Amino acid sequence: MATRETYTLLDGTKHATEVVVIEGAQSGPTAMVTGGIHGDEISGYRAAETVSGWDIAQGTLIVIPRANTVAIERGTREGTSGDLNRLFPPGKKPNSELAQALWEAIERHDPDVYIDLHRSLGIYNVQPGYVGQAIFPTAAGDALEHARDVAALLNEEKVPWYMPLHKYRAGDPMPESGPLIANKVGQDRDTPAYIVESTSFLLDLDTRTDWTTRAAEALLARHGIERTGGN
Ligand SMILES: [Zn+2]
């Protein structure tokens, strides 16, 4: 049976947010999952909340379901310091109090894999400038191969045949200097990390939440964290 503990990051501040630490009975790798970096991406933080209720057999799973609480409460992409996912320059200090606290949590838990759950708007490589349905890996480890495998699994299991444009793809590895939290994990810590982007284009909230949750489950399994129960 897994044990579950929670603590609050930035307790007593407007950015206070819950961190859930799930320990499997057996030792194993450590994974970290975040949702709600963008406050208007409901399917991302709902999926992360679901993940925070899972049991695992081995390893440690740390989930921060609602990373940017101010933005979530406002229902906006941006929080108090602009777009939180542009405040993590590789090789430099994160650029806000919240960004620094999230980064300190990553350093404290020292994950072997990091997954950041988002909601996108359009279709990747079809509608210019849009990133939905894609799994973007870092260049570290086997992340690109795992991103391709999990995209294929989602297309097989979840995406209906009559929605070919909605097939997930593995995006290109993130560029070296991109100031995204997942990219900073990849660049500064040489750790496989992923951004999962599920689109709101023609997909309802429950469907894209379900697909995002399945992406997280499959990526975790490929990194040695098997879900054994939970809602
Ligand atoms: Zn986002």
Side-chain angles (χ1 to χ4, degrees):
M1 200 57 200
T3 62
R4 186 182 317 274
E5 288 178 6
T6 64
Y7 70 92
T8 304
L9 206 62
L10 290 169
D11 203 5
T13 77
K14 60 180 177 287
H15 295 299
T17 193
E18 190 175 61
V19 182
V20 182
V21 180
I22 306 158
E23 292 270 4
Q26 295 149 33
S27 63
T30 296
M32 211 157 163
V33 176
T34 47
I37 293 275
H38 291 138
D40 58 347
E41 300 185 357
I42 301 170
S43 52
Y45 62 75
R46 281 208 188 158
E49 278 166 352
T50 299
V51 174
S52 75
W54 288 350
D55 288 326
I56 56 173
Q58 70 285 329
T60 305
L61 173 58
I62 293 115
V63 188
I64 307 179
R66 298 163 73 95
N68 194 348
T69 49
V70 172
I72 289 171
E73 279 159 20
R74 291 178 182 170
T76 56
R77 178 180 178 88
E78 302 195 340
T80 55
S81 301
D83 184 338
L84 177 59
N85 213 22
R86 299 293 181 273
L87 302 180
F88 295 90
K92 295 180 190 155
K93 210 173 133 176
N95 282 328
S96 76
E97 183 193 23
L98 175 58
Q100 282 164 25
L102 291 169
W103 189 251
E104 279 163 20
I106 289 167
E107 299 215 300
R108 184 177 331 126
H109 292 292
D110 190 23
D112 300 294
V113 58
Y114 176 83
I115 303 167
D116 192 20
L117 304 178
H118 287 254
R119 180 274 286 135
S120 52
L121 295 170
I123 295 287
Y124 183 56
N125 275 356
V126 175
Q127 291 160 296
Y130 289 101
V131 294
Q133 309 259 86
I135 301 170
F136 292 92
T138 63
D142 295 329
L144 177 57
E145 188 186 329
H146 292 311
R148 285 184 178 139
D149 286 352
V150 170
L153 177 144
L154 290 167
N155 295 340
E156 177 75 27
E157 272 187 16
K158 298 289 187 185
V159 183
W161 63 268
Y162 53 82
M163 297 182 81
L165 293 178
H166 280 72
K167 285 191 182 303
Y168 282 86
R169 303 157 202 229
D172 290 332
M174 297 170 218
E176 259 174 50
S177 60
L180 317 172
I181 188 168
N183 197 37
K184 187 170 175 65
V185 171
Q187 304 291 335
D188 291 6
R189 304 177 56 82
D190 194 28
T191 295
Y194 306 87
I195 300 173
V196 176
E197 295 277 8
S198 300
T199 192
S200 58
F201 178 67
L202 301 179
L203 290 186
D204 64 33
L205 176 59
D206 285 348
T207 302
R208 61 182 188 270
T209 303
D210 174 55
W211 294 5
T212 306
T213 307
R214 183 68 181 115
E217 181 183 38
L219 287 168
L220 289 169
R222 270 159 185 74
H223 286 275
I225 307 261
E226 300 265 3
R227 177 189 169 200
T228 56
N231 296 324

